[in-house]
Amino acid sequence: MFRARGEDSLPVGSSRSFGKRLRPTNREAHAPLWAQVKASLTALILEDGLQEHARLPSEAELCARFGVSRTVVREAMSQMVNEGLIYRLQGKGAFVAGRRDEQDFVGTTVGFSGELADKRKQVTRRILRQETGLPPPRIRKLLRIEETTRLVFVDRAMAVEGSPRMIVRWAMLESVVPGLDAMPLENRSLYDTIGRQYGVRLARAERWIEAVPALGEDAALLGVAEGTPVLGIESVAFNPAAQAIEYYTALYLTDRSRLHFTVSSPNF
């Protein structure tokens, strides 16, 4: 079971000692009060090297420390969430965001865990579903297959360095990967497995990306409040013979990472 971010015990020397290090507000300054609160908290994070995922003081504590209203504190923290400096967990408070990784997997045919492994990141996987079945209409349309064509379905929730990052619902033609539904996949890269065991090569992929809310079980698996915006990805991949053989959808947290694309002109 993945542990949601921010559920660890409070790091030693974190929010309990913030009071001595926060800069007081100045009501005669030109900068609005919320901007002063934001600047003070930002300096604490960036200059004092506050630990990733350290819990910040509560809104009430910050109001008392800065001598400002809850509206001022909330505006400052909302701006910091937008800039990726902190994140909120419903009912738990605000926490220092981790340093963002840069990931290329969306712009290539390399799998998520394989790409992270190259960066010496520990990726853990939880298998949610692993079985064969018939394609639903959306997959049937995009892969251009008959309704009787069987697929192998593998749904996974993945974490990086213990922090939930992504949910992937993946499918591939069973004729390409027979027996994959029975293979243990918890401790291995799916793309490494299909490459080594079946010689599968993906030549290109088409992907659609949009912001979507994390709902229900997905929000719980990602360790975020229901309705939190995440990146939704839909992908269709083709083998060297230009046959569509793979389909997946993914929900991806971008609060600790950013995605990298390489774009080239079709004339070069």
Side-chain angles (χ1 to χ4, degrees):
M1 177 69 69
F2 292 148
R3 182 172 52 195
R5 292 164 302 158
E7 291 185 358
D8 293 332
S9 58
L10 188 66
V12 176
S14 56
S15 67
R16 295 191 181 96
S17 58
F18 282 160
K20 298 178 180 179
R21 295 182 284 167
L22 294 175
R23 302 170 185 172
T25 55
N26 180 358
R27 294 183 179 275
E28 297 181 1
H30 292 295
L33 293 175
W34 70 263
Q36 295 180 49
V37 172
K38 174 178 175 289
S40 182
L41 290 172
T42 299
L44 187 68
I45 293 171
L46 299 181
E47 297 173 12
D48 290 12
L50 202 61
Q51 293 179 7
E52 295 182 6
H53 312 304
R55 185 183 289 112
L56 296 178
S58 68
E59 288 184 359
E61 290 173 320
L62 290 175
C63 288
R65 176 67 184 91
F66 288 112
V68 296
S69 68
R70 194 175 291 260
T71 300
V72 170
V73 168
R74 286 177 176 172
E75 177 62 24
M77 298 185 80
S78 292
Q79 293 292 329
M80 294 176 73
V81 169
N82 291 338
E83 294 178 13
L85 292 169
I86 64 175
Y87 63 91
R88 289 191 177 109
L89 291 178
Q90 190 172 20
K92 297 182 183 296
F95 302 82
V96 178
R99 182 179 178 181
R100 291 192 169 201
D101 300 318
E102 188 167 275
Q103 258 113 58
D104 297 280
F105 79 98
V106 170
T108 72
T109 56
V110 176
F112 171 79
S113 56
E115 198 258 325
L116 267 291
D118 289 341
K119 297 182 178 181
R120 301 294 191 271
K121 297 289 185 179
Q122 181 184 14
V123 179
T124 52
R125 308 162 189 84
R126 176 181 171 187
I127 304 299
L128 307 174
R129 175 194 184 195
Q130 186 175 352
E131 62 186 10
T132 62
L134 298 175
R138 179 65 176 170
I139 297 181
R140 194 165 67 240
K141 175 183 177 181
L142 290 178
L143 294 187
R144 299 178 183 177
I145 56 179
E146 300 294 331
E147 60 182 20
T148 56
T149 302
R150 296 193 67 81
L151 303 173
V152 177
F153 295 94
V154 181
D155 297 352
R156 296 160 293 156
M158 291 186 278
V160 179
E161 304 293 344
S163 179
R165 181 70 61 85
M166 189 178 192
I167 301 170
V168 183
R169 293 181 170 89
W170 179 93
M172 183 168 279
L173 300 182
E174 186 183 21
S175 60
V176 176
V177 287
L180 182 67
D181 56 302
M183 285 191 179
L185 296 174
E186 289 85 356
N187 299 314
R188 62 174 69 178
S189 163
L190 177 60
Y191 284 89
D192 182 66
T193 299
I194 64 175
R196 290 175 180 271
Q197 297 291 328
Y198 301 99
V200 172
R201 288 182 54 225
L202 299 176
R204 69 180 183 90
E206 296 181 10
R207 292 189 176 133
W208 298 264
I209 302 173
E210 62 181 334
V212 297
L215 302 174
E217 181 186 6
D218 291 339
L221 288 168
L222 292 172
V224 298
E226 187 158 359
T228 297
V230 297
L231 207 61
I233 305 166
E234 185 177 38
S235 175
V236 176
F238 302 79
N239 64 14
Q243 179 189 13
I245 63 171
E246 180 205 53
Y247 173 88
Y248 75 71
T249 60
L251 296 178
Y252 182 80
L253 284 177
T254 58
D255 61 335
R256 293 201 63 204
S257 62
R258 60 180 183 175
L259 301 175
H260 173 255
F261 295 84
T262 300
V263 180
S264 61
S265 169
N267 297 322
F268 293 90

